[in-house]
Amino acid sequence: MSATQAKLARVFRAFQIRGDFLSGTRYGSGHINETYAVTVDQAGQPIRYLFQRLNTAIFQNPVGLMANVENVTGHIRNKLQTSGVTDASRRVLTLLPAQEGQFFLDDPELGFWRVYLFIEGARTYDLLEQTDQAFQAARSFGTFQRLLADYEGPRLTDTIPFFHHTGRRFEALQQAIAADPLGRAKAAEPEIEFALSRATLTTRLLDLQASGAIPERITHNDTKFNNVMLEDVTGEGVCVLDLDTVMPGLSLYDFGDLVRSACNPVAEDETDVSQVVARGDIFEALATGYLKGTAGALLPVEREHLAIAGQLLTFECGLRFLSDHLLGDAYFRIHRPGQNMDRCRTQFALVRSLELQADAFLKRIRSL
Ligand code: ADP
Ligand code: GN1
Ligand code: MG
């Protein structure tokens, strides 16, 4: 048995899972956590579970984070079940308890782990393949937010404080440029210039929030297209994943990150940025799905800012990739040198495309 299999077998034994450990494989393409599909033999039947090792360098209060996940999934499960939904265990994530009863394992050698039921018959996509998938994903994230609108449990922990505070992200980039510990700033001059010329964008939503024009809600905050599962057979959005950043935020952050991750026809780390463009039909499908999922909750001022939210969140993500590149790729996992720089370039190319089409996109929103 390899070291990884032996480690997964030990994690398996730490959780209340029946049956015999068979094997586990690395799974998904997230940038932060370590995810495995683990197969267990249950009386002759192979059953998969989703094992995840949390990145505790990034999530520094993993116990608080897990309390959020428990409270949020519990609230949603309750609502689904009382409204007559019969397949709630596919529509919301289900945590499994560890031997001591808590929903995680915190082990000095193995690390910090959690286990979910594996949702079968559905999958995530890194790249959108059809326009309807945009509608489905956005409706799912909108519904997720609607289901949490009456959440009255314990206040959710800010798992990463100021996560979408774009002003602070901008300052963090300025600090990274000044420090330039690896001498990478010179080669990144065009991107740095692009970033620094857009300082005013960073405060657009913060100002609206500060003035009270747009409300804080419980939001997902990481609504990347590959964080929602779509049914294999029908294509319907079935379950929202990656709940590590569910905390108070703005609806527009969730919509903006959908625009960022779904409107671009090429991969986040595409090296040929001439292929990057914000697709208007996808934008419209996202907006239609999001309005449907949130079911009338969005204020007119929020609707009016859906297009700018796409620009803002894409810009913010570009700032984060650029900072991480300058600081030595400590945050976003990379698989080749320069990958965070490539990711930054696609984000900034997408910002440019969104800027050019801002009026057209606003018209699309107003026509819905
Ligand atoms: P990360 O924080 O690293 O992005 P995610 O929670 O998004 O981790 O999980 C990574 C991938 O694992 C997802 O994109 C999805 O494909 C898959 N996945 C996550 N949870 C489940 C689940 N409960 N059932 C099936 N697949 C899942
Ligand atoms: C990370 O974990 P993952 O890969 O779904 C990041 C998001 C970024 C995204 C960019 C906790 O998401 O904020 O938008 O990468 N998550 C965290 O692809 O920082
Ligand atoms: Mg993810």
Side-chain angles (χ1 to χ4, degrees), residues 101 145 199:
Q145 196 175 114

Side-chain angles (χ1 to χ4, degrees), residues 22-66:
L22 287 176
S23 65
T25 48
R26 197 66 191 266
Y27 202 74
S29 49
H31 295 337
I32 311 289
N33 296 318
E34 243 177 74
T35 304
Y36 297 85
V38 170
T39 309
V40 174
D41 182 328
Q42 289 179 347
Q45 188 73 25
I47 304 287
R48 291 201 285 182
Y49 290 89
L50 200 287
F51 282 38
Q52 246 172 1
R53 183 182 182 180
L54 236 72
N55 184 330
T56 50
I58 289 177
F59 297 113
Q60 292 178 2
N61 177 7
V63 174
L65 182 156
M66 289 309 293

